[in-house]
Amino acid sequence: MKAIVLGGTAGMGRAIARRLAERGDEVFLMGRDAGDLARSAADLEARQAKNGRVGYAVCDLEKTDGFAAALDEADRALGGFDTVVVTAAMFATQEALEADVELTRRLLTVNYTNTVVFCEHARKRLLERGGGRLTVFSSVAGDRGRKPVALYGSSKAGLSHYLESLDHKFHAKGLTVLCVKPGFVKTGMTAGLKPPPFAGEPDDVAKDVVRAMVARKPLLYTPAIWALVMLVIRWLPRFVMRRIGF
């Protein structure tokens, strides 16, 4: 694969970029901070299975006017990419979002509108060259309306809907769309939150994601137990959901 990883300097994105590099895939990093990108690129160069420079470009999901230029740079560095992985997103607790309308606007814009805009840029380029892989992180938080993640979850619900629609529409044209729905994973994004007994680790999630990408699956719950957890949650009656805090 010739893969772009947006969000590849931290957490699950960094773990996926490392695994791809160790497999021998070519990787191009995107993120908000040039210093983090440079350090992460150097780390990948030391890990990759074959020698070569790891390219990178600043790409901030809050700044849509930079998307095309960053993708142009990736095309030049990789000689044409065939895989795009998007792990970047915003997170805030329900309490913080309810207290700050501007924070809510930013999170909803980044997690849905601007992520979709970035994916549309990537989708058009991939289809122009016959297809490829588009892997995007949504969340189990989008599977059902729930008290603790009402606002964050709504952004991920919209994103999941979009990704499933892309899979239906463009699969026959060679575009493989993988919607990743992680449960609780121990990353900087979840620091300070109490992890459940089956919380995941970034490296384990990365292993699951790369395996699903290679198999060209359309949907992945990771850690796997979240598929069962959310199956139960989706079928709970509304009166039960009103009473519980999950």
Side-chain angles (χ1 to χ4, degrees), residues 9-207:
T9 63
M12 292 179 283
R14 178 169 55 194
I16 291 170
R18 286 176 172 175
R19 184 162 290 273
L20 291 173
E22 290 167 355
R23 275 171 33 97
D25 300 310
E26 296 181 51
V27 180
F28 185 94
L29 298 176
M30 291 185 183
R32 293 186 302 171
D33 185 273
D36 286 344
L37 286 166
R39 288 186 290 272
S40 295
D43 173 70
L44 291 186
E45 287 171 1
R47 292 171 180 270
Q48 63 186 358
K50 54 185 178 181
N51 295 328
R53 178 179 176 271
V54 174
Y56 60 87
V58 172
C59 185
D60 187 341
L61 275 177
E62 291 200 81
K63 300 176 181 178
T64 58
D65 57 355
F67 292 174
L71 289 167
D72 286 342
E73 183 62 28
D75 256 334
R76 287 191 290 269
L78 295 173
F81 57 83
D82 56 31
T83 300
V84 177
V85 181
V86 181
T87 66
M90 283 185 67
F91 176 78
T93 65
Q94 180 67 17
E95 292 76 15
L97 292 168
E98 289 178 0
D100 189 338
V101 174
E102 175 58 17
L103 177 62
T104 298
R105 183 199 64 78
R106 288 179 58 210
L107 181 141
L108 295 177
T109 301
V110 164
N111 286 1
Y112 179 69
T113 303
N114 290 3
T115 298
V116 169
V117 170
F118 181 86
C119 289
E120 284 294 286
H121 279 280
R123 172 189 65 78
K124 291 176 181 178
R125 294 182 188 228
L126 290 170
L127 288 172
E128 285 172 357
R129 58 199 63 167
R133 293 179 174 90
L134 177 62
T135 296
V136 185
F137 275 54
S138 183
S139 172
V140 297
D143 275 16
R144 182 81 191 266
R146 291 160 46 208
K147 295 176 185 177
V149 286
L151 291 165
Y152 173 78
S154 70
S155 71
K156 293 300 187 176
L159 182 60
S160 296
H161 184 102
Y162 163 74
L163 295 171
E164 182 180 358
S165 300
L166 281 192
D167 176 66
H168 295 327
K169 185 170 185 180
F170 296 111
H171 182 79
K173 295 183 178 181
L175 183 67
T176 298
V177 181
L178 170 60
C179 176
V180 181
K181 294 185 177 182
F184 193 103
V185 182
K186 298 175 184 177
T187 67
M189 182 179 287
T190 58
L193 301 178
K194 184 179 180 180
F198 38 85
E201 297 287 347
D203 287 343
D204 294 330
V205 169
K207 184 186 300 183

